[in-house]
Amino acid sequence: MRTLSRFQQNYFCIPRGGSKTLCQIMVAYHTGVWFPNVTLAITASTKESAVKIWKEKHDEILRYYPAMADEIKSANFSKDSGRVEFQNGAVIDNLANAQSSKGLRRRRGSLEESALIDKDLYDDAIEPIFNIPRTTLGGEIDPTELNGQINRFSTSGYKNSDEFEKILTMIRETGDLKGSFVFASDWRIPIHFGRQKMSTINKARQGNITRFRQNYLCDWIGASDGALINISKLMKARTINIPELECPKDKRGNHELNEYVIGVDVARSSSESNNKTAIVVLKIIRNASGTIRQVHVVNIIEPPNGLNFKEQSIEVKRVFYKYGGHLELSKSRVKAVVVDGNTVGKGLIDRLTEDVTDPETNEELGCWDTINTDQKPDVKGSPKLIYDLTAQGINGDIITEFLNYVESGKLKLLKSYEDIKNSKNIEDDLMVEVACIQTQLFIDEVANLRLKKTQTSSTVEQVVKRIDKDRYSAIAYALYYISLFLEKEENNDEYAFGFFFN
């Protein structure tokens, strides 16, 4: 708390259970007591997040330090707003990291989970809020006061991100005595002070390696050199409010006129069974002329590990029908199923070209043909739905298309579950949460990839081998197909005619 009261900007990279949020609010209240008429702001990725965290710690402070209640004139909290006013006129409120905060003025601020905050939006809308200093009761500006102070509190994020560059800059400024201070620790501090149980740490250690490194080691993960992409661009792409767990239907029960492409990758990780598969559903959004404006990753599905190729093919076909797939291509909302046809992927394609019945519902799932190979399906005349993608020789093109969609802002991802769980339109909370978690795992995979140049092309390699890249591969393959066959501008009349008989 002394540090937070002495330096112009601070970065506290602390693990879960390290009391970083409690310290943040306590310092804000201490500042409010000692500086009359000062205005302070607490900022998080959303206003709801800021208020939820703040209200909980407000109650703790008054419980631990009852005398603080004498300094507070009023305290009001709602779902998305909070305001505490002190007897001396000081005020603390919350701000969202959004354009709606632009033009407001505060004297000091703190950022909760700053690793999740959009840097461009913060630079444009939030940082200027703290540029005007407080005037003392004597009508003067105290040059020694920490006007414009901004403190950051967070667990770690990704090396190939804007936030990582920020903490590196502040570390250098700390060493050069330029008014910054960086404090970091791992799980040992909360364990030492009884804020965490060792059993919790051990359980987290056995789970997702990325979450453990970020939440308990405060280790910034990913590639620092040669990263595939600045991961902040993917974080910024998280704008979809609600996942589509299936193709929506109109009032008459017919599927809406959406357009989907399904990508499938069969895993070849050395740490997992070769029967692990990632299935992604991409929704194409076109403008009035038929040109693709956006591609939404509306769902990422990971079937249970250990399924054989026949069982995997049934899973893929179930997803196909769930999103409006039809064996009559003119009626099908799913335009193609792009399958990784390298090595073990051939086994899945062989099964997809067989006629099969769903063992659970006895529903006939049908037989598919390939679009781009001479492989013969079991049933002659089966719809050409499978694009057998063999990546050898075109890895560089696949990577380029993936980067183009991300860099241009055309690729859109689901928001985090914390950001969307209060939406009134959410019906299946568990499935929505799973879809959001899968999106986060996809971002983890991309952050772990390093671009590697070969003599003839480019490829990607994993920094940490324990982190797979199946979700990335499935999405990259589907985007490559979209750019190759669906990106062209279509004739409006022809485009409308394709749905005329649905």
Side-chain angles (χ1 to χ4, degrees):
M1 288 183 65
R2 290 194 185 98
T3 299
L4 291 167
S5 301
R6 290 177 177 176
F7 289 87
Q8 188 64 35
Q9 58 176 348
N10 297 276
Y11 202 121
F12 273 52
C13 188
I14 308 294
R16 287 188 174 179
S19 298
K20 59 181 180 294
T21 304
L22 181 61
C23 290
Q24 171 190 358
I25 304 301
M26 287 177 68
V27 168
Y29 281 29
H30 175 272
T31 303
V33 170
W34 286 96
F35 292 89
N37 297 322
V38 71
T39 52
L40 310 173
I42 297 170
T43 304
S45 56
T46 65
K47 293 184 73 173
E48 292 82 358
S49 299
V51 172
K52 180 180 178 181
I53 295 166
W54 180 12
K55 176 64 168 63
E56 179 181 317
K57 301 309 175 185
H58 172 84
D59 294 339
E60 282 189 43
I61 290 172
L62 295 187
R63 185 167 65 251
Y64 297 149
Y65 306 99
M68 181 62 72
D70 296 334
E71 303 289 344
I72 295 176
K73 182 178 179 180
S74 63
N76 298 289
F77 298 95
S78 65
K79 178 182 177 181
D80 61 357
S81 65
R83 180 184 173 91
V84 172
E85 185 174 348
F86 292 83
Q87 300 290 357
N88 62 5
V91 175
I92 305 174
D93 63 0
N94 67 305
L95 298 176
N97 189 42
Q99 290 291 343
S100 59
S101 299
K102 201 169 185 177
L104 300 176
R105 290 291 174 260
R106 302 292 185 272
R107 307 302 175 238
R108 306 187 196 185
S110 60
L111 309 182
E112 176 68 26
E113 291 297 341
S114 62
L116 302 178
I117 290 178
D118 182 346
K119 178 183 181 298
D120 293 337
L121 188 57
Y122 168 79
D123 289 344
D124 180 51
I126 301 299
E127 189 172 41
I129 290 175
F130 308 104
N131 286 342
I132 298 178
R134 182 186 76 101
T135 302
T136 66
L137 293 178
E140 299 179 350
I141 296 174
D142 184 353
T144 65
E145 188 174 325
L146 296 179
N147 289 302
Q149 182 194 54
I150 299 177
N151 296 320
R152 295 170 180 258
F153 302 83
S154 185
T155 50
S156 58
Y158 302 97
K159 285 182 179 177
N160 46 341
S161 67
D162 296 327
E163 192 68 11
F164 184 63
E165 293 301 320
K166 178 64 177 179
I167 194 172
L168 288 182
T169 299
M170 290 183 63
I171 288 173
R172 288 191 290 268
E173 291 176 350
T174 301
D176 295 336
L177 304 180
K178 292 185 177 180
S180 296
F181 189 89
V182 176
F183 179 86
S185 74
D186 61 11
W187 54 266
R188 290 173 180 84
I189 282 186
I191 286 290
H192 177 77
F193 287 100
R195 295 281 299 172
Q196 281 284 16
K197 295 181 179 179
M198 198 63 212
S199 59
T200 301
I201 304 301
N202 291 332
K203 182 179 179 180
R205 197 193 303 272
Q206 301 304 316
N208 183 282
I209 181 64
T210 300
R211 298 284 82 76
F212 175 72
R213 289 175 62 187
Q214 288 182 326
N215 292 332
Y216 296 101
L217 294 181
C218 278
D219 187 9
W220 295 76
I221 67 169
S224 55
D225 297 318
L228 177 62
I229 198 169
N230 185 327
I231 210 67
S232 296
K233 296 183 182 296
L234 276 184
M235 303 295 288
K236 189 183 297 184
R238 303 191 73 169
T239 60
I240 304 175
N241 288 312
I242 300 177
E244 288 186 13
L245 303 179
E246 59 184 8
C247 181
K249 295 181 179 180
D250 60 24
K251 294 180 179 179
R252 295 182 296 178
N254 298 320
H255 288 112
E256 293 182 0
L257 302 183
N258 295 337
E259 191 176 3
Y260 300 98
V261 170
I262 296 174
V264 184
D265 178 69
V266 181
R268 296 179 299 279
S269 168
S270 59
S271 63
E272 296 283 353
S273 167
N274 284 341
N275 290 330
K276 182 181 177 184
T277 297
I279 306 170
V280 301
V281 182
L282 275 61
K283 178 181 178 181
I284 297 172
I285 308 296
R286 298 183 184 271
N287 61 22
S289 66
T291 303
I292 294 177
R293 181 169 56 86
Q294 292 181 356
V295 176
H296 293 185
V297 182
V298 295
N299 203 358
I300 302 176
I301 302 156
E302 186 180 77
N305 194 29
L307 299 182
N308 59 40
F309 289 130
K310 181 178 180 180
E311 292 167 330
Q312 290 182 43
S313 71
I314 292 173
E315 291 288 340
V316 172
K317 288 183 178 181
R318 285 171 177 166
V319 174
F320 171 78
Y321 287 110
K322 187 179 292 187
Y323 285 89
H326 200 286
L327 296 182
E328 290 186 41
L329 294 181
S330 63
K331 297 181 179 180
S332 182
R333 304 294 179 255
V334 179
K335 301 307 173 186
V337 179
V338 185
V339 181
D340 167 23
N342 296 286
T343 58
V344 295
K346 292 294 185 185
L348 178 58
I349 292 177
D350 290 342
R351 292 297 188 175
L352 289 172
T353 57
E354 296 176 353
D355 206 8
V356 67
T357 302
D358 191 322
E360 295 182 3
T361 64
N362 287 325
E363 178 186 0
E364 293 298 324
L365 300 178
C367 175
W368 298 351
D369 195 0
T370 61
I371 297 172
N372 59 324
T373 72
D374 296 328
Q375 185 170 347
K376 302 298 182 183
D378 279 2
V379 180
K380 187 177 181 180
S382 296
K384 293 183 176 294
L385 285 165
I386 308 167
Y387 186 80
D388 182 350
L389 190 147
T390 304
Q392 280 88 352
I394 59 170
N395 264 319
D397 295 334
I398 293 172
I399 294 169
T400 298
E401 291 303 330
F402 175 78
L403 296 178
N404 285 341
Y405 276 94
V406 176
E407 295 281 356
S408 65
K410 292 172 71 172
L411 185 69
K412 301 298 181 183
L413 307 173
L414 290 171
K415 291 183 178 179
S416 69
Y417 184 66
E418 287 296 319
D419 289 342
I420 68 174
K421 67 180 180 180
N422 295 322
S423 173
K424 296 180 181 179
N425 296 322
I426 290 180
E427 296 180 356
D428 193 332
D429 284 352
L430 178 59
M431 294 303 295
V432 170
E433 184 174 7
V434 169
C436 294
I437 290 172
Q438 289 291 330
T439 301
Q440 182 60 56
L441 292 174
F442 159 66
I443 295 175
D444 292 346
E445 289 184 1
V446 176
N448 188 54
L449 296 178
R450 179 188 291 121
L451 191 62
K452 182 180 179 181
K453 296 287 185 180
T454 64
Q455 290 183 346
T456 58
S457 183
S458 300
T459 186
V460 293
E461 62 178 7
Q462 297 143 280
V463 178
V464 179
K465 298 301 182 183
R466 287 178 60 188
I467 302 176
D468 289 321
K469 61 183 183 70
D470 311 305
R471 299 168 187 83
Y472 157 77
S473 297
I475 290 175
Y477 295 157
L479 289 174
Y480 178 74
Y481 177 86
I482 291 171
S483 69
L484 206 60
F485 299 105
L486 303 179
E487 188 68 73
K488 63 183 180 180
E489 185 172 325
E490 300 193 17
N491 179 279
N492 284 340
D493 295 334
E494 181 182 348
Y495 186 68
F497 184 78
F499 297 113
F500 185 78
F501 294 105
N502 290 295

